[in-house]
Amino acid sequence: TIHPEFCAFLKTVYESGVVPNYTTNGISIAKGDMNSEKILHYTAKYCGGVAVSFGNKAIRHYAEQAIEKLMSCDVHINIHHIISDKESVDEFVAEWARYGDSILYHVLLPLMPSGRSQEGVSDGTFEYLEYVIEQNKIKNVAFGAHFIKNLRNSRIKTWLYDEQSFSKNII
């Protein structure tokens, strides 16, 4: 969203016969300036959906403001949640309760060791996640591919696809 030709790009993609979607941390939309209004206008006119990342707690207030603004657009809104421990599961449930049906999917992504960080999902977290999803009857959830090992034997009803089924490298 910070590229100067972002809105023109959305229009070009749409006019080529593809409905664009994008993922954002929300900062550009939350600003409330002329550019953010332009992004919202083009999003409403040309996009099918926007995913808002809740991964960085330091800037989450921008993501929340962006979601409020995106609700006025005719687009599907998804929220990306990083699941790392029981506290992150509780945060997801709080956001699920807050937004209700205004969010198409809460996309749950496991914390992965990356860069200098060696941290991943804490032991017992998926089982706790499974429990709260069942207890709250949460239906608008999508799982990131890295949860597939957990989902193979989960009580949560999911449709699993081979990890490589969407890869361009399949022969």
Side-chain angles (χ1 to χ4, degrees):
T1 57
I2 62 173
H3 192 281
E5 299 298 321
F6 179 72
C7 291
F9 174 75
L10 293 177
K11 181 180 180 199
T12 300
V13 171
Y14 182 84
E15 289 175 348
S16 76
V18 176
V19 178
N21 299 293
Y22 64 91
T23 301
T24 180
N25 61 16
I27 293 174
S28 295
I29 295 171
K31 285 184 177 178
D33 59 10
M34 292 291 288
N35 188 51
S36 67
E37 294 303 317
K38 183 177 179 184
I39 292 170
L40 285 169
H41 172 75
Y42 276 69
T43 297
K45 191 168 183 175
Y46 300 114
C47 290
V50 177
V52 181
S53 176
F54 270 28
N56 186 338
K57 290 181 185 181
I59 60 170
R60 186 165 297 165
H61 62 284
Y62 291 117
E64 292 167 344
Q65 291 172 26
I67 288 170
E68 294 302 320
K69 291 176 183 246
L70 286 163
M71 285 182 183
S72 69
C73 299
D74 185 24
V75 296
H76 296 297
I77 303 169
N78 296 318
I79 298 176
H80 288 177
H81 302 271
I82 303 297
I83 302 299
S84 59
D85 54 20
K86 291 179 180 179
E87 180 182 332
S88 67
V89 173
D90 292 339
E91 289 172 3
F92 147 65
V93 172
E95 296 301 335
W96 170 80
R98 174 181 179 187
Y99 289 111
D101 293 336
S102 300
I103 301 302
L104 181 64
Y105 286 106
H106 291 270
V107 182
L108 308 181
L109 306 167
L111 178 66
M112 302 291 294
S114 176
R116 292 183 299 234
S117 174
Q118 295 304 308
E119 293 182 45
V121 177
S122 300
D123 290 341
T125 300
F126 186 81
E127 293 76 14
Y128 180 64
L129 176 62
E130 189 174 43
Y131 171 77
V132 299
I133 287 172
E134 287 179 313
Q135 289 302 115
N136 291 288
K137 297 178 174 52
I138 299 173
K139 301 291 183 197
N140 58 335
V141 172
F143 290 91
H146 290 289
F147 268 126
I148 197 161
K149 291 175 188 166
N150 302 97
L151 292 168
R152 288 195 196 282
N153 298 311
S154 175
R155 295 184 314 269
I156 300 169
K157 184 178 179 181
T158 55
W159 289 267
L160 299 178
Y161 300 92
D162 183 44
E163 296 99 317
Q164 287 78 34
S165 65
F166 297 110
S167 173
K168 65 180 179 179
N169 299 318
I170 293 290
I171 295 176

